[in-house]
Amino acid sequence: MVTRLSNFFLRTLREDPAGAEVASHKLLIRAGYIRPQASGIFAWLPLGLRVKARIEKVVREEMAAAGAQEVHFPALMPREAYEASGRWDEYGDLLFRLQDRKGGDYLLAPTHEEAFTLLVKDLYSSYKDLPLTIYQIQDKYRDEARPRAGLLRGREFTMKDAYSFDASDAGLDVSYQAQRDAYERIFQRLGLEYVIVQADAGAMGGSRSEEFLHPTPVGEDTFVRSEGGYAANVEAYTTAIPEPLPFDAASAPVIFDSPNTPTIETLVTHANANLEGEFTAADTLKNVVLALTHLDGTRELVVIGIPGDREVDEKRAEVAFAPAEIEPATPDDFEKHPLLVKGYIGPWSPTGAILGEESATGIRYLLDPRVVEGTSWITGANIDQKHAHSVIAGRDFSADGVVEIANVREGDAAPDGSGPVHLARGMEIGHVFQLGRKYADALGLKVLDENGKLVTVTMGSYGIGVTRILAIIAELNNDDKGLIWPASVAPFDVHVVAAGRDQVAFDVAADAAAQLEAAGLDVLYDDRPKVSPGVKFGDAELVGVPRVLVVGRGAADGQVELWDRRSGERDTVSLAEALQTLATR
Amino acid sequence: MVTRLSNFFLRTLREDPAGAEVASHKLLIRAGYIRPQASGIFAWLPLGLRVKARIEKVVREEMAAAGAQEVHFPALMPREAYEASGRWDEYGDLLFRLQDRKGGDYLLAPTHEEAFTLLVKDLYSSYKDLPLTIYQIQDKYRDEARPRAGLLRGREFTMKDAYSFDASDAGLDVSYQAQRDAYERIFQRLGLEYVIVQADAGAMGGSRSEEFLHPTPVGEDTFVRSEGGYAANVEAYTTAIPEPLPFDAASAPVIFDSPNTPTIETLVTHANANLEGEFTAADTLKNVVLALTHLDGTRELVVIGIPGDREVDEKRAEVAFAPAEIEPATPDDFEKHPLLVKGYIGPWSPTGAILGEESATGIRYLLDPRVVEGTSWITGANIDQKHAHSVIAGRDFSADGVVEIANVREGDAAPDGSGPVHLARGMEIGHVFQLGRKYADALGLKVLDENGKLVTVTMGSYGIGVTRILAIIAELNNDDKGLIWPASVAPFDVHVVAAGRDQVAFDVAADAAAQLEAAGLDVLYDDRPKVSPGVKFGDAELVGVPRVLVVGRGAADGQVELWDRRSGERDTVSLAEALQTLATR
């Protein structure tokens, strides 16, 4: 049945909606695809629902091809399983929590690892039942602190989440690869360029983890790539650790007065003026104090030494200390710990300082991986207005651990030796990762193996944000006049516009629309009787169906226009030729 | 692609699940269609999802045929609109309520009248935009006090809810009829017998309201029907009001001692022993005290007079006083109101009693519609151990209003004069009703009419419980061996069972399954290599695909069995004939 615009539920808007900043957010609302209901929560109008259904169809077909089976969980889930996995707490304010009339605790599920684990535990008991990959396409909820960019970071979103179950690590690798391959096919079919990067598993736990990023300068994720094929997001990048240096011949550390040098910049200036040699920030060791808030609510200070030419990368630091939350130490923290001399903090103990292995404060001291044995540093002396030089790692100080919180820079070495990395930005469009046994352990999912022994199942988790992908496609496919959908996901195959004033244009257009629909195309027919051609063209451009058939003045002579929305080209052709072209694309 | 049971996500269960009482609940779990997640909340397994998708397809097709357009709202909605309509409070404990991280109030929507109203207000402004009917198929939440019977009364359920918008009452009638007709077609296609009954609009407000009930003795709703075509559920049944009687010649009321007669039964016995004449409960007027709790929390006592041969029907009483909640007056209430003499309460004032028009208590006195002017009653004298006779309505007492709380009985007159009614039970499978202007008024939905004047839009609301229908179909189609799906909603068209031990049976079965799938059928193929034919047959009976193709010992000779799951008949035929029969049904 041809969809007629005269009674189609659509109202295009001339003005950008208030507060919308990115193109997809503005255009999806202006063109009548979605309507906001609350911050980060949207209703889907007929146009939007059509595009969403097309994307879901591609996802379902590729899931079936990969042997995954569809199930469906409710959004409202009881607390217990999320308590057992630790995520009831770990997710913090991101979770929508509620109680039922009996006081039972529930949540709106942000993802369903626990539920899938329990379902398989409930029904399966033998290695013969595995491998198994099951998935759902489902509406999820996360109470983002700052919902923004429309569907790109909403509080409700539709996600395809799949979970694989295997009795062995080798099996998991196979299941993982099958989903990874399916994701490549999905993005190829959707015409969405992607880079697969190593990712940190974050709050999910687990081992191998890769993200599919769409490379774009406006992406909110930063990733690195080397010519040699290494790719990772900055959270997952690991520093190439340098070789230790010999230090037998090195001179002893020397404490020197360094008044008014609480920053790296002032310290370097002071050193170049007063010490022998020429120094840069890279010669200094900066000691940063962070406050961690652990899940149980306790607060811990840690001091971290990083080369003075690096900054703390907040995302890398978050990942490094997750699930604890981090913030810079406050003036109050320094007041409570007078041994931490702000601006002059140093690491080591042999000189009588307070940190390091024999710390008297109980405060952990952690180091950037570049601070290997034998490296020599100018750093704080843990005495006000004093620093020290010739302070050698492994001789004069050591650490309680290594941590990656320093930023990654263009030209840093890839950890696999594949050369220097380049930085780029991207948007996450998919995520595959090996959960391993985290959830199976927490929830007791075991099966009998070939020898009749109970083994813990190993799992994978695979997510694609359906509504996010829709927004990204909109973000990538538009101009100043509106949306321009790729044919694979357009809400309609053809937009027929009756643009004449004579009845003949309407008759010919209606007939053309009916013929195209009969040929198996989805047709939107702008049959509005009293709307000017100009308004109709404007709406066609805003809505963004890629191929438009304009039936106007030439209709009486059998002439119509084929309008390519993307290129803007309009070709006058005979009606028969137009129908032929459209039907056989 | 043929679905092979060897790797299909299914585990059938031999035992009925704990706590399941009705057949659909037991069998949908045992046969692997759904799994409970919490009280009244279920996950959908592949089999269940297939049946659900088939029902949704029928609903979508008929909605499109009726000109309704699909949209989709989130389950999580902000409080404001529900506050404006009054339902934030009216729904009471049935609502799942929650707060976001900023303390904003939200709910999980039980239905979306408000959201649809605001959406249309948001986009439309003229009578020319109307009529409009939009719908969604969406997961809804209600925190039922006693979730039971599996999907029949869950706390999460999938519903198709449609809403119509018209500028005039005549338009609403047309939109209403279009949905009503679509519902008839849906139930016919699903093979579901139905009766359309008048219904009370309940908490929804509005005027015309009809329910589609599936008649069944195990239904939880009671309805009445007359031979002449009247049909209503008991909440909506209205009493045929008798003609007033002349009472000029009637004698004056007489108070008499009636010790120990606090019940109708004891009163009738006493009257027959001590008064002239022969009396039944129908000659007495029973005065019931109910306590109403209004939305604002205030508590009000009301006294209601009903013929002594009738009982209070709780559902009718709930509807009569909605949105107030009702309960019987408590001993505490009687203590606080000593003028209410329990067991001896009467209505009237001329004899000095305390109720009725000139009530000194402020307590409202309401009457059953049968208590018309001129009717004579034996009733309480509002004095302990005393009653009165010859108490005549309209002469000796009158009321503050009429109310229908008495039960409906077999043989009661239909209000439209179409004869006596019969009582029957049914399950609700759909509901259509005219909301009128309730929501449009509350939320300010107006459009400009032909004369450029703002008029308030009138609305209809139309609901079908998709998951409820699935459960009812399961409830109606099973035997002691399992489910028996109608072909229109079965999860598969054919269930092929390889039942031999020889490879040939498997080869023939696999080939047959592939041919059937190629012919456009959905095929489930039981290819499990080490499972006995008996277990396979048992699973086939439990799962309930209506047509089973058994490939067993005769396979080598080209012989197979066509097994009709409903009749149990098994016909041995040639493979070619079997494929022909199955493919051309």
Side-chain angles (χ1 to χ4, degrees):
Chain A
M1 205 153 44
V2 172
T3 301
R4 286 171 173 260
L5 208 47
S6 59
N7 55 23
F8 189 54
F9 184 47
L10 171 67
R11 178 66 18 103
T12 57
L13 309 174
R14 275 165 215 279
E15 304 293 327
D16 282 338
E21 283 170 11
V22 301
S24 62
H25 190 187
K26 290 177 194 170
L27 289 172
L28 289 170
I29 291 175
R30 280 188 51 209
Y33 285 74
I34 57 173
R35 285 301 294 174
Q37 300 296 308
S39 172
I41 297 178
F42 297 87
W44 290 82
L45 306 188
L47 279 177
L49 215 50
R50 282 175 166 262
V51 177
K52 188 162 172 266
R54 287 204 168 177
I55 294 173
E56 288 174 354
K57 183 163 182 285
V58 169
V59 171
R60 282 201 170 90
E61 286 170 359
E62 294 303 338
M63 283 297 110
Q69 302 179 55
E70 188 170 358
V71 301
H72 193 82
F73 277 88
L76 183 69
M77 295 293 295
R79 167 178 179 159
E80 288 72 19
Y82 289 80
E83 183 77 42
S85 72
R87 293 209 298 173
W88 176 265
D89 293 318
E90 279 171 28
Y91 259 105
D93 285 344
L94 263 188
L95 273 193
F96 283 106
R97 297 177 179 83
L98 67 158
Q99 291 196 321
D100 70 2
R101 63 161 77 206
K102 290 176 179 157
D105 281 323
Y106 288 78
L107 54 82
L108 300 183
T111 61
H112 281 82
E113 275 77 1
E114 292 83 351
F116 276 77
T117 307
L118 288 176
L119 179 65
V120 173
K121 178 184 178 185
D122 212 11
L123 296 177
Y124 277 1
S125 56
S126 162
Y127 76 98
K128 291 183 210 160
D129 298 325
L130 306 180
L132 171 72
T133 298
I134 45 184
Y135 77 98
Q136 61 179 353
I137 294 181
Q138 199 258 359
D139 293 339
K140 303 209 176 301
Y141 294 87
R142 289 188 200 169
D143 196 2
E144 296 283 349
R146 283 171 296 278
R148 64 184 180 277
L151 300 176
L152 285 175
R153 187 163 294 272
R155 297 197 295 171
E156 193 210 38
F157 52 97
T158 304
M159 187 167 159
K160 186 287 297 175
D161 46 332
Y163 305 89
S164 68
F165 299 86
D166 281 277
S168 71
D169 292 346
L172 170 57
D173 284 338
V174 174
S175 299
Y176 180 90
Q177 192 63 39
Q179 283 289 310
R180 193 177 187 275
D181 291 347
Y183 277 36
E184 295 209 52
R185 291 194 302 270
I186 289 168
F187 296 126
Q188 282 159 14
R189 285 180 62 180
L190 295 175
L192 213 48
E193 194 193 339
Y194 61 90
V195 180
I196 304 177
V197 305
Q198 291 178 31
D200 184 87
M204 296 294 195
S207 46
R208 190 174 172 197
S209 170
E210 289 171 295
E211 272 175 12
F212 287 73
L213 295 181
H214 174 78
T216 162
V218 300
E220 58 184 7
D221 293 318
T222 306
F223 67 100
V224 298
R225 271 197 279 198
S226 75
E227 301 287 339
Y230 174 79
N233 65 25
V234 289
E235 295 93 319
Y237 170 85
T238 51
T239 302
I241 301 177
E243 289 295 311
L245 302 174
F247 55 86
D248 295 347
S251 56
V254 176
I255 294 177
F256 60 93
D257 288 330
S258 57
N260 303 315
T261 57
T263 65
I264 295 298
E265 198 187 349
T266 52
L267 174 59
V268 170
T269 304
H270 179 93
N272 281 327
N274 297 284
L275 303 180
E276 254 174 64
E278 212 169 307
F279 303 97
T280 69
D283 298 309
T284 68
L285 183 67
K286 166 158 70 180
N287 293 286
V288 177
V289 189
L290 292 181
L292 314 184
T293 305
H294 294 285
L295 278 185
D296 62 7
T298 57
R299 199 157 191 278
E300 179 196 3
L301 293 188
V302 291
V303 179
I304 305 139
I306 64 176
D309 60 338
R310 301 260 167 189
E311 302 302 322
V312 174
D313 181 310
E314 203 177 323
K315 281 192 171 178
R316 284 169 60 77
E318 274 171 14
V319 164
F321 290 109
E325 292 192 3
I326 57 169
E327 60 172 343
T330 62
D332 194 46
D333 288 323
F334 284 103
E335 206 159 299
K336 278 187 187 150
H337 294 89
L339 296 178
L340 292 176
V341 187
K342 197 172 177 186
Y344 301 88
I345 301 174
W348 79 109
S349 51
T351 56
I354 44 88
L355 300 174
E357 209 169 8
E358 297 169 297
S359 164
T361 62
I363 293 174
R364 284 192 289 158
Y365 184 59
L366 305 172
L367 279 172
D368 184 85
R370 292 169 192 84
V371 188
V372 293
E373 195 177 278
T375 50
S376 176
W377 304 93
I378 300 173
T379 188
N382 294 317
I383 303 166
D384 194 36
Q385 312 297 326
K386 287 184 198 295
H387 281 84
H389 66 78
S390 306
V391 182
I392 293 187
R395 180 191 74 182
D396 301 322
F397 66 97
S398 61
D400 299 313
V402 171
V403 71
E404 298 250 15
I405 67 166
N407 61 341
V408 187
R409 289 192 312 222
E410 190 78 15
D412 281 349
D416 63 355
S418 63
V421 299
H422 302 286
L423 284 154
R425 296 189 74 83
M427 285 187 191
E428 185 185 338
I429 52 177
H431 196 173
V432 291
F433 57 100
Q434 301 192 348
L435 296 172
R437 297 179 173 81
K438 167 175 170 162
Y439 290 93
D441 266 335
L443 299 165
L445 170 57
K446 292 169 197 282
V447 293
L448 292 171
D449 72 4
E450 297 88 327
N451 307 313
K453 271 182 55 181
L454 277 175
V455 294
T456 300
V457 168
T458 182
M459 293 168 54
S461 168
Y462 317 95
I464 278 185
V466 170
T467 45
R468 185 153 222 263
I469 283 177
L470 185 149
I472 290 173
I473 294 175
E475 196 67 34
L476 297 172
N477 294 279
N478 65 73
D479 60 18
D480 58 355
K481 290 169 185 146
L483 295 159
I484 313 169
W485 294 105
S488 59
V489 298
F492 292 94
D493 298 312
V494 184
H495 188 150
V496 176
V497 177
R501 294 180 184 205
D502 303 335
Q503 186 57 34
V504 64
F506 286 85
D507 292 344
V508 171
D511 188 55
Q515 286 191 53
L516 291 167
E517 188 87 15
L521 301 183
D522 284 335
V523 181
L524 178 64
Y525 167 35
D526 192 345
D527 63 334
R528 290 175 294 175
K530 288 177 186 166
V531 175
S532 75
V535 169
K536 288 185 177 181
F537 296 154
D539 280 346
E541 287 174 315
L542 185 54
V543 166
V545 174
R547 297 184 310 162
V548 184
L549 176 65
V550 181
V551 183
R553 252 176 284 178
D557 308 320
Q559 298 293 300
V560 297
E561 275 186 320
L562 267 184
W563 179 11
D564 182 302
R565 170 68 183 94
R566 192 174 294 272
S567 69
E569 275 173 39
R570 296 170 79 140
D571 294 331
T572 300
V573 296
S574 73
L575 176 61
E577 190 187 334
L579 294 179
Q580 178 79 7
T581 304
L582 292 169
T584 57
R585 78 186 150 132
Chain B
M1 203 154 43
V2 172
T3 301
R4 286 171 173 260
L5 209 46
S6 59
N7 54 23
F8 190 53
F9 184 47
L10 171 67
R11 179 63 21 99
T12 58
L13 309 174
R14 276 164 215 280
E15 303 293 328
D16 283 335
E21 283 169 10
V22 302
S24 62
H25 190 187
K26 289 177 194 170
L27 289 172
L28 289 171
I29 291 176
R30 280 187 52 207
Y33 285 73
I34 58 174
R35 285 301 296 172
Q37 300 297 308
S39 173
I41 297 178
F42 297 87
W44 291 82
L45 306 188
L47 278 176
L49 214 51
R50 281 175 167 262
V51 177
K52 188 161 173 267
R54 286 204 167 177
I55 294 173
E56 289 174 355
K57 184 164 182 284
V58 169
V59 171
R60 282 201 171 91
E61 286 171 1
E62 295 303 339
M63 283 298 108
Q69 301 178 57
E70 188 170 357
V71 300
H72 192 81
F73 277 88
L76 182 69
M77 295 293 292
R79 168 179 179 159
E80 289 71 20
Y82 289 82
E83 182 78 41
S85 71
R87 294 207 299 172
W88 176 266
D89 293 319
E90 278 170 28
Y91 259 104
D93 285 345
L94 263 188
L95 274 193
F96 283 106
R97 296 178 181 81
L98 66 156
Q99 292 195 321
D100 70 2
R101 64 162 75 204
K102 290 178 179 157
D105 282 322
Y106 288 78
L107 53 81
L108 299 183
T111 61
H112 281 82
E113 275 77 0
E114 292 83 352
F116 277 77
T117 307
L118 289 177
L119 179 64
V120 173
K121 179 184 177 185
D122 212 11
L123 296 178
Y124 277 2
S125 56
S126 162
Y127 76 100
K128 291 183 210 159
D129 298 325
L130 306 180
L132 171 72
T133 298
I134 45 184
Y135 77 98
Q136 62 179 352
I137 294 181
Q138 198 259 359
D139 294 339
K140 304 207 175 301
Y141 293 87
R142 289 187 199 169
D143 196 2
E144 297 282 348
R146 284 171 296 278
R148 62 184 181 278
L151 301 176
L152 286 174
R153 187 163 293 272
R155 297 197 295 170
E156 193 212 37
F157 52 97
T158 305
M159 187 167 160
K160 185 286 297 174
D161 47 332
Y163 305 89
S164 68
F165 299 86
D166 282 277
S168 70
D169 292 346
L172 171 57
D173 284 339
V174 174
S175 298
Y176 180 90
Q177 192 63 39
Q179 283 289 311
R180 194 178 188 273
D181 291 346
Y183 277 35
E184 296 209 53
R185 291 194 302 271
I186 289 168
F187 296 126
Q188 283 158 15
R189 286 180 63 180
L190 295 175
L192 213 49
E193 194 192 338
Y194 61 90
V195 180
I196 304 177
V197 305
Q198 292 178 28
D200 184 88
M204 296 293 195
S207 48
R208 190 172 172 198
S209 169
E210 291 172 294
E211 272 175 11
F212 287 74
L213 295 181
H214 174 78
T216 162
V218 300
E220 58 184 9
D221 292 319
T222 306
F223 68 99
V224 299
R225 272 198 278 200
S226 75
E227 302 285 341
Y230 175 79
N233 66 25
V234 290
E235 294 93 319
Y237 170 84
T238 50
T239 303
I241 301 176
E243 289 295 309
L245 302 175
F247 55 85
D248 295 348
S251 56
V254 176
I255 296 177
F256 59 93
D257 287 332
S258 58
N260 302 317
T261 57
T263 65
I264 295 297
E265 198 186 350
T266 52
L267 174 61
V268 170
T269 305
H270 179 92
N272 280 327
N274 296 284
L275 303 182
E276 254 175 63
E278 211 168 307
F279 302 98
T280 69
D283 299 309
T284 69
L285 183 67
K286 168 159 70 178
N287 293 286
V288 176
V289 190
L290 292 182
L292 315 184
T293 305
H294 294 285
L295 278 186
D296 61 7
T298 58
R299 201 160 188 278
E300 180 197 3
L301 292 187
V302 290
V303 179
I304 304 138
I306 64 174
D309 61 337
R310 302 260 167 188
E311 302 301 324
V312 174
D313 181 309
E314 203 178 322
K315 281 191 172 179
R316 283 167 62 77
E318 272 172 15
V319 165
F321 291 110
E325 291 193 4
I326 56 168
E327 61 172 341
T330 62
D332 194 46
D333 288 322
F334 283 104
E335 207 159 298
K336 278 188 188 152
H337 295 90
L339 295 178
L340 292 175
V341 187
K342 196 173 179 187
Y344 301 88
I345 300 174
W348 77 110
S349 52
T351 59
I354 47 86
L355 299 176
E357 210 170 7
E358 298 169 299
S359 164
T361 62
I363 293 174
R364 282 193 291 158
Y365 184 59
L366 305 172
L367 279 171
D368 184 85
R370 292 169 192 84
V371 188
V372 292
E373 193 177 279
T375 50
S376 176
W377 305 92
I378 300 173
T379 188
N382 293 318
I383 303 165
D384 195 35
Q385 312 296 327
K386 288 186 197 294
H387 280 85
H389 66 77
S390 307
V391 182
I392 293 186
R395 180 191 74 182
D396 301 323
F397 66 96
S398 59
D400 298 314
V402 171
V403 71
E404 298 249 15
I405 67 164
N407 62 341
V408 187
R409 290 191 312 221
E410 191 77 17
D412 281 349
D416 63 357
S418 64
V421 300
H422 302 286
L423 284 155
R425 295 189 75 83
M427 284 187 194
E428 185 185 339
I429 51 177
H431 196 173
V432 290
F433 56 101
Q434 300 192 347
L435 296 171
R437 297 180 174 80
K438 169 175 168 161
Y439 290 93
D441 266 336
L443 299 165
L445 170 57
K446 294 170 196 279
V447 292
L448 291 171
D449 71 5
E450 298 89 326
N451 308 313
K453 270 183 55 182
L454 277 175
V455 294
T456 300
V457 168
T458 181
M459 294 168 54
S461 167
Y462 316 96
I464 278 186
V466 170
T467 46
R468 185 153 221 263
I469 283 177
L470 185 150
I472 290 173
I473 294 174
E475 195 67 34
L476 297 171
N477 294 280
N478 65 72
D479 61 17
D480 58 354
K481 289 168 186 147
L483 294 160
I484 314 170
W485 294 105
S488 59
V489 298
F492 292 95
D493 299 311
V494 184
H495 187 150
V496 176
V497 177
R501 296 182 182 203
D502 304 334
Q503 186 58 35
V504 64
F506 285 84
D507 292 345
V508 171
D511 188 55
Q515 285 191 52
L516 290 167
E517 189 87 16
L521 302 182
D522 282 336
V523 181
L524 178 63
Y525 167 34
D526 192 345
D527 64 333
R528 291 175 293 176
K530 288 178 185 167
V531 175
S532 76
V535 168
K536 288 184 177 180
F537 295 154
D539 279 346
E541 288 175 315
L542 185 55
V543 167
V545 174
R547 298 182 310 162
V548 185
L549 175 65
V550 182
V551 183
R553 252 176 285 176
D557 308 322
Q559 298 292 300
V560 297
E561 276 185 321
L562 268 184
W563 179 11
D564 182 302
R565 169 68 183 93
R566 191 173 294 274
S567 69
E569 276 173 39
R570 295 170 79 139
D571 294 331
T572 301
V573 296
S574 73
L575 176 62
E577 190 187 335
L579 294 180
Q580 177 79 8
T581 304
L582 291 169
T584 58
R585 79 188 148 126

